[in-house]
mmCIF file of all heavy atoms in Angstrom:
data_model
loop_
_atom_site.group_PDB
_atom_site.id
_atom_site.type_symbol
_atom_site.label_atom_id
_atom_site.label_comp_id
_atom_site.label_asym_id
_atom_site.label_seq_id
_atom_site.Cartn_x
_atom_site.Cartn_y
_atom_site.Cartn_z
ATOM 1 N N LEU A 284 54.610 68.261 76.965
ATOM 2 C CA LEU A 284 54.665 69.696 76.636
ATOM 3 C C LEU A 284 53.503 70.068 75.725
ATOM 4 O O LEU A 284 52.940 69.197 75.048
ATOM 5 C CB LEU A 284 55.998 70.002 75.928
ATOM 6 C CG LEU A 284 57.243 69.780 76.782
ATOM 7 C CD1 LEU A 284 58.483 69.698 75.906
ATOM 8 C CD2 LEU A 284 57.387 70.912 77.799
ATOM 9 N N PRO A 285 53.160 71.373 75.662
ATOM 10 C CA PRO A 285 52.105 71.803 74.748
ATOM 11 C C PRO A 285 52.479 71.452 73.299
ATOM 12 O O PRO A 285 53.658 71.294 72.979
ATOM 13 C CB PRO A 285 52.064 73.326 74.924
ATOM 14 C CG PRO A 285 52.705 73.587 76.240
ATOM 15 C CD PRO A 285 53.714 72.499 76.433
ATOM 16 N N THR A 286 51.464 71.368 72.438
ATOM 17 C CA THR A 286 51.682 70.939 71.063
ATOM 18 C C THR A 286 52.571 71.900 70.283
ATOM 19 O O THR A 286 53.505 71.497 69.598
ATOM 20 C CB THR A 286 50.318 70.839 70.331
ATOM 21 O OG1 THR A 286 49.422 70.123 71.199
ATOM 22 C CG2 THR A 286 50.450 70.147 69.000
ATOM 23 N N HIS A 287 52.278 73.190 70.412
ATOM 24 C CA HIS A 287 53.013 74.195 69.645
ATOM 25 C C HIS A 287 54.447 74.320 70.157
ATOM 26 O O HIS A 287 54.686 74.413 71.358
ATOM 27 C CB HIS A 287 52.300 75.546 69.768
ATOM 28 C CG HIS A 287 53.040 76.674 69.125
ATOM 29 N ND1 HIS A 287 53.116 76.831 67.751
ATOM 30 C CD2 HIS A 287 53.761 77.699 69.667
ATOM 31 C CE1 HIS A 287 53.851 77.901 67.480
ATOM 32 N NE2 HIS A 287 54.247 78.444 68.623
ATOM 33 N N VAL A 288 55.401 74.331 69.239
ATOM 34 C CA VAL A 288 56.799 74.575 69.618
ATOM 35 C C VAL A 288 57.060 76.075 69.508
ATOM 36 O O VAL A 288 56.953 76.645 68.424
ATOM 37 C CB VAL A 288 57.770 73.788 68.706
ATOM 38 C CG1 VAL A 288 59.211 74.111 69.069
ATOM 39 C CG2 VAL A 288 57.518 72.286 68.823
ATOM 40 N N SER A 289 57.379 76.708 70.633
ATOM 41 C CA SER A 289 57.573 78.170 70.639
ATOM 42 C C SER A 289 58.985 78.533 70.230
ATOM 43 O O SER A 289 59.929 77.787 70.501
ATOM 44 C CB SER A 289 57.363 78.745 72.043
ATOM 45 O OG SER A 289 56.090 78.480 72.532
ATOM 46 N N SER A 290 59.122 79.728 69.678
ATOM 47 C CA SER A 290 60.460 80.312 69.517
ATOM 48 C C SER A 290 60.801 81.032 70.817
ATOM 49 O O SER A 290 59.915 81.303 71.638
ATOM 50 C CB SER A 290 60.462 81.303 68.359
ATOM 51 O OG SER A 290 59.615 82.398 68.698
ATOM 52 N N LEU A 291 62.083 81.353 70.978
ATOM 53 C CA LEU A 291 62.481 82.105 72.173
ATOM 54 C C LEU A 291 61.763 83.457 72.201
ATOM 55 O O LEU A 291 61.334 83.927 73.252
ATOM 56 C CB LEU A 291 64.005 82.276 72.199
ATOM 57 C CG LEU A 291 64.592 83.034 73.395
ATOM 58 C CD1 LEU A 291 64.170 82.425 74.728
ATOM 59 C CD2 LEU A 291 66.130 83.077 73.321
ATOM 60 N N ASP A 292 61.612 84.064 71.015
ATOM 61 C CA ASP A 292 60.896 85.350 70.948
ATOM 62 C C ASP A 292 59.469 85.241 71.478
ATOM 63 O O ASP A 292 58.999 86.114 72.191
ATOM 64 C CB ASP A 292 60.854 85.869 69.506
ATOM 65 C CG ASP A 292 62.072 86.717 69.198
ATOM 66 O OD1 ASP A 292 62.655 87.267 70.159
ATOM 67 O OD2 ASP A 292 62.453 86.809 68.020
ATOM 68 N N GLU A 293 58.807 84.165 71.104
ATOM 69 C CA GLU A 293 57.434 83.969 71.611
ATOM 70 C C GLU A 293 57.439 83.803 73.137
ATOM 71 O O GLU A 293 56.586 84.331 73.837
ATOM 72 C CB GLU A 293 56.775 82.753 70.947
ATOM 73 C CG GLU A 293 56.405 82.981 69.494
ATOM 74 C CD GLU A 293 56.060 81.679 68.757
ATOM 75 O OE1 GLU A 293 56.192 80.581 69.347
ATOM 76 O OE2 GLU A 293 55.671 81.783 67.587
ATOM 77 N N GLN A 294 58.406 83.061 73.612
ATOM 78 C CA GLN A 294 58.503 82.897 75.076
ATOM 79 C C GLN A 294 58.726 84.242 75.766
ATOM 80 O O GLN A 294 58.146 84.518 76.815
ATOM 81 C CB GLN A 294 59.666 81.959 75.427
ATOM 82 C CG GLN A 294 59.411 80.514 75.137
ATOM 83 C CD GLN A 294 60.339 79.603 75.945
ATOM 84 O OE1 GLN A 294 61.083 80.062 76.795
ATOM 85 N NE2 GLN A 294 60.293 78.321 75.678
#
Side-chain angles (χ1 to χ4, degrees):
L284 296 163
T286 313
H287 175 73
V288 177
S289 301
S290 65
L291 181 55
D292 271 336
E293 288 166 355
Q294 286 201 6

